[in-house]
Amino acid sequence: MSPAPDDRPPHAEGPALAAEVEGYLLAHAEYDRAHREAEALCARLPWLTTAQAEDLVHHYVSRRLDITRQTLATIARRARELRDEYEARYITLRRALFKAHAACACALLGIAGLITAVFRLTP
């Protein structure tokens, strides 16, 4: 049986909801920015009819949002690639560090064993 909504911890969905709201707000801001730019462009072209200006605004905003989506997808892909590269490098460095520590521990144990053997052999 799933817990009632009141039984869930208050912070369980917070970060995901915050990220979704932030994404929505950023997308809406980008739409507004593109729309303002398109209207400014149309204002500099006074010979356009109202229908032509609306069509230009629509196409400009649509193309601008497509470019933004493509740019974000490229950035997200590159971020994943970098994360994978860093994780692989981290694993390599961690293994090398473990090997170095293991070698030092073996050397210390060997020296300790040698010292113990020397003290046992001397009267």
Side-chain angles (χ1 to χ4, degrees), residues 100-112:
H101 279 98
C104 287
C106 289
L108 286 173
L109 286 174
I111 291 171

Side-chain angles (χ1 to χ4, degrees), residues 9-67:
H11 56 71
E13 296 176 356
L17 180 62
E20 188 174 336
V21 169
E22 180 184 22
Y24 171 79
L25 292 174
L26 288 171
H28 193 64
E30 182 65 20
Y31 174 83
D32 288 343
R33 191 171 21 256
H35 202 273
R36 281 192 308 273
E37 288 175 8
E39 287 177 343
L41 175 63
C42 289
R44 287 181 274 159
L45 305 172
W47 59 86
L48 293 177
T49 65
T50 303
Q52 290 172 329
E54 289 174 359
D55 193 41
L56 180 61
V57 167
H58 172 74
H59 287 293
Y60 182 91
V61 170
S62 176
R63 182 65 183 135
R64 170 77 182 271
L65 293 179
D66 287 343
I67 291 170

Side-chain angles (χ1 to χ4, degrees), residues 46-117:
W47 59 86
L48 293 177
T49 65
T50 303
Q52 290 172 329
E54 289 174 359
D55 193 41
L56 180 61
V57 167
H58 172 74
H59 287 293
Y60 182 91
V61 170
S62 176
R63 182 65 183 135
R64 170 77 182 271
L65 293 179
D66 287 343
I67 291 170
T68 300
R69 271 188 220 99
Q70 292 170 356
T71 302
L72 289 174
T74 300
I75 291 169
R77 181 185 46 76
R78 183 62 181 141
R80 283 189 301 273
E81 290 172 358
L82 287 173
R83 184 189 63 222
D84 293 344
E85 289 175 23
Y86 285 128
E87 285 177 355
R89 181 69 177 145
Y90 173 76
I91 289 170
T92 302
L93 291 172
R94 191 173 69 185
R95 285 182 183 153
L97 185 62
F98 178 75
K99 288 177 184 178
H101 279 98
C104 287
C106 289
L108 286 173
L109 286 174
I111 291 171
L114 183 64
I115 291 172
T116 304

